[in-house]
């Protein structure tokens, strides 16, 4: 097995961690894993802190007093609210714990199969039905907050307001399915604003947590898995391609359980298995390409600012569409530091776009801007409301065009409505 040098390991984590390394604390918290050892996530390469962003806009999120704390909690404090979805549907949400016992977990071989946590967001039949869906568990949020510094409260982060209702009845109709995979070291809920927006536009969205690949994943029964993979990549010499290969197998299993003969979700008949897409942030974006290589059921994919840790095969993606959406800087412009984007672009053999966003940084394409602004963390030049709007606009347009057959001119080239967005190799 190839062993990473320190420089290569640092580069991997700098590209894959979904939190700015400049904000990370020196000693992250850990929690016990039920079937493997406790781990301390590896340190990351240093980065220059970004300057604060331009004035904030209330349309992106708003603080509201928290009023639903459990008895005995600390006094209520202002908490973040995710930006409201833009589509015509209300949004339902349900959580599905899955275990694939046909495979050995690559990070903890003694585990009882490969554990996955899936959150489904979907168009709901009517507004107001069901309880408000939680953002994250307190333990998940606590472990992530420990990486952001002493000014970030895990309890406040966990109680971020969402715009979906737990187990609401789905709206009638057959819907395309979009899989979402998060950045390395963080959980599926860091893509919630995008998942809710896609669901409000008529998609079923399955956001997937991959066991032992985040600071904390809560399982049923109060168990928490921590980031064994972080140490394996940084200190154990495990190639990063193991992550993308493993996630491709994870997504294959999720598709089997959602669209197979005995689906795990009682409303799975609303999913149209003939229209499936996948998007991911960071290494989750690289995993979108890897999943398409491994599974022909996935019709279209998006890599949001992730390095491709495995080259595409000679046949590319066999004509299926793919979009690379990333930073407009030395990393992901053509000829940039991340040379994997140039190689992937050449190998892509179907409809393709290479789109970069001025003023963005690695975490722009997740819930990162909303979290950072709420807690007063350093932000890039691109304001939070624009980060949210651009990500939603181009991801939704891509899937509208390639899963629904709807023409979306915003994908054809520069638009006056989105001056931050640049098209490469046109």
């Amino acid at each position: 097995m190839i062993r990473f040098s320190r420089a290569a390991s640092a580069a991997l984590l700098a590209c894959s961690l979904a939190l700015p390394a400049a904000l990370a604390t020196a000693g992250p918290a850990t929690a016990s894993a039920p079937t493997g050892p406790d781990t301390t996530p590896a340190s990351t390469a240093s980065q220059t802190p970004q300057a604060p962003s331009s004035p904030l806009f209330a349309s992106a999120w708003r603080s509201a007093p928290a009023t639903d704390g459990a008895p005995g909690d600390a006094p209520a404090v202002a908490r973040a609210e995710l930006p409201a979805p833009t589509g015509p549907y209300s949004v339902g949400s349900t959580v599905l714990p899955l275990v694939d016992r046909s495979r050995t977990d690559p990070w903890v071989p003694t585990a009882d199969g490969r554990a996955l946590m899936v959150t489904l967001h979907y168009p709901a039949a009517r507004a107001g039905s069901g309880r408000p869906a939680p953002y994250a568990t307190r333990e998940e949020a606590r472990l992530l907050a420990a990486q952001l510094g002493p000014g970030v409260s895990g309890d406040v982060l966990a109680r971020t307001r969402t715009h979906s209702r737990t187990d609401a009845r789905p709206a009638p109709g057959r819907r395309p399915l979009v899989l979402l995979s998060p950045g390395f070291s963080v959980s599926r809920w860091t893509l919630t604003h995008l998942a809710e927006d896609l669901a409000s536009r008529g998609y079923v969205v399955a956001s997937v947590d991959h066991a032992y690949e985040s600071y904390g994943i809560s399982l049923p029964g109060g168990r928490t898995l921590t980031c064994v993979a972080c140490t394996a990549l940084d200190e154990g010499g495990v190639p990063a391609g193991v992550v993308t290969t493993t996630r491709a197998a994870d997504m294959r299993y999720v598709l089997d359980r959602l669209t197979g003969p005995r689906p795990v979700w009682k409303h799975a008949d609303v999913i149209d298995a003939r229209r499936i897409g996948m998007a991911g942030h960071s290494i989750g974006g690289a995993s979108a390409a890897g999943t398409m290589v491994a599974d022909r059921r996935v019709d279209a994919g998006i890599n949001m600012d992730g390095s491709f840790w495995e080259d595409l095969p000679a046949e590319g993606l066999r004509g299926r569409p793919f979009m690379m959406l990333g930073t407009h800087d030395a990393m992901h412009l053509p000829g940039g530091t991340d040379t994997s984007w140039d190689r992937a672009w050449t190998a892509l053999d179907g409809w393709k776009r290479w789109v970069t966003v001025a003023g963005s940084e690695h975490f722009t394409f997740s819930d990162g801007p909303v979290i950072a602004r709420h807690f007063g963390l350093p932000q890039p030049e691109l304001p939070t409301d624009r980060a949210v709007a651009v990500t939603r606009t181009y991801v939704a347009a891509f899937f509208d065009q390639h899963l629904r057959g709807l023409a979306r001119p915003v994908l054809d080239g520069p638009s006056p409505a989105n001056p931050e967005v640049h098209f490469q190799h046109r």
Side-chain angles (χ1 to χ4, degrees):
M1 185 174 286
I2 300 171
R3 182 176 180 84
F4 276 138
S5 68
R6 278 287 167 184
S9 174
L12 167 68
L13 292 175
C15 289
S16 299
L17 291 175
L19 291 171
L23 304 178
T25 58
T30 62
S32 59
T35 53
D38 290 357
T39 62
T40 300
S43 60
T44 63
S46 61
Q47 300 178 1
T48 303
Q50 301 284 351
S53 71
S54 56
L56 310 181
F57 293 85
S59 60
W61 66 272
R62 59 186 183 274
S63 294
T67 59
D68 59 350
D73 284 352
V77 295
R79 62 179 177 177
E81 180 170 350
L82 294 178
T86 60
Y89 292 99
S90 299
V91 179
S93 175
T94 194
V95 176
L96 303 174
L98 302 177
V99 181
D100 182 1
R101 292 189 171 87
S102 71
R103 291 187 288 149
T104 298
D105 191 287
W107 313 114
V108 180
T110 58
D112 181 19
R114 175 73 173 162
L116 305 169
M117 292 295 293
V118 180
T119 295
L120 292 182
H121 290 95
Y122 53 89
R126 61 186 179 88
S129 61
R131 294 175 289 105
Y135 185 56
T137 69
R138 289 187 177 184
E139 184 64 5
E140 288 171 339
R142 182 186 71 80
L143 291 167
L144 187 58
Q147 307 302 314
L148 292 171
V152 180
S153 163
D155 180 64
V156 173
L157 179 60
R159 294 192 294 168
T160 297
R161 289 187 186 273
T162 68
H163 295 275
S164 49
R165 296 277 173 165
T166 299
D167 296 326
R169 182 166 57 87
R174 299 271 286 173
R175 311 290 178 182
L177 173 66
V178 174
L179 304 171
L180 292 182
S181 184
F184 189 72
S185 82
V186 295
S187 294
R188 66 195 187 281
W189 44 270
T190 60
L191 296 174
T192 300
H193 92 68
L194 178 59
E196 289 188 332
D197 190 64
L198 287 170
S200 78
R201 297 175 187 238
Y203 293 89
V204 175
V205 183
S207 304
V208 181
D209 256 336
H210 310 272
Y212 303 110
E213 295 178 19
S214 82
Y215 291 127
I217 299 173
S218 295
L219 300 185
R223 299 179 298 161
T224 300
L225 307 185
T226 53
C227 197
V228 177
C230 292
T231 302
L233 292 177
D234 186 49
E235 299 176 4
V238 177
V242 173
V243 179
T244 53
T245 300
T246 299
R247 290 194 180 191
D250 292 346
M251 292 306 192
R252 176 183 291 272
Y253 182 73
V254 170
L255 287 178
D256 290 344
R257 301 299 287 129
L258 288 177
T259 66
R262 292 184 297 277
V264 69
W265 186 36
K266 65 181 179 180
H267 300 297
D269 58 340
V270 306
I271 296 174
D272 185 349
R274 300 167 302 174
R275 296 183 291 167
I276 298 174
M278 179 173 171
H281 173 238
S282 195
I283 209 165
S287 299
T291 299
M292 291 181 70
V293 170
D295 197 325
R296 288 297 304 272
R297 290 176 293 182
V298 182
D299 302 301
I302 303 174
N303 179 354
M304 297 185 292
D305 211 54
S307 296
F308 293 88
W309 294 100
E310 295 179 299
D311 286 341
L312 295 177
E315 64 271 23
L317 297 178
R318 299 181 180 180
R320 287 169 290 172
F322 199 86
M323 181 167 70
M324 304 188 306
L325 176 64
T327 54
H328 187 75
D329 58 17
M331 179 65 76
H332 282 146
L333 285 172
T337 305
D338 184 0
T339 58
S340 72
W341 276 42
D342 291 283
R343 296 196 304 273
W345 178 258
T346 300
L348 291 170
D349 61 326
W351 186 103
K352 59 185 179 180
R353 291 292 185 271
W354 182 333
V355 179
T356 56
V357 183
S360 66
E361 46 88 47
H362 186 56
F363 321 102
T364 289
F365 309 99
S366 69
D367 290 355
V370 179
I371 295 170
R373 190 168 69 178
H374 184 73
F375 290 104
L377 303 177
Q379 295 179 273
E381 178 184 344
L382 187 67
T384 296
D385 66 325
R386 291 303 299 156
V388 168
V390 166
T391 300
R392 288 175 165 185
T393 295
Y394 285 86
V395 171
F398 175 85
F399 288 127
D400 282 352
Q401 184 158 312
H402 297 294
L403 298 184
R404 289 173 148 168
L406 303 174
R408 291 293 183 251
V410 73
L411 298 174
D412 294 338
S415 164
N418 300 293
E420 311 93 340
V421 176
H422 300 263
F423 285 72
Q424 310 302 327
H425 291 308
R426 292 185 63 241

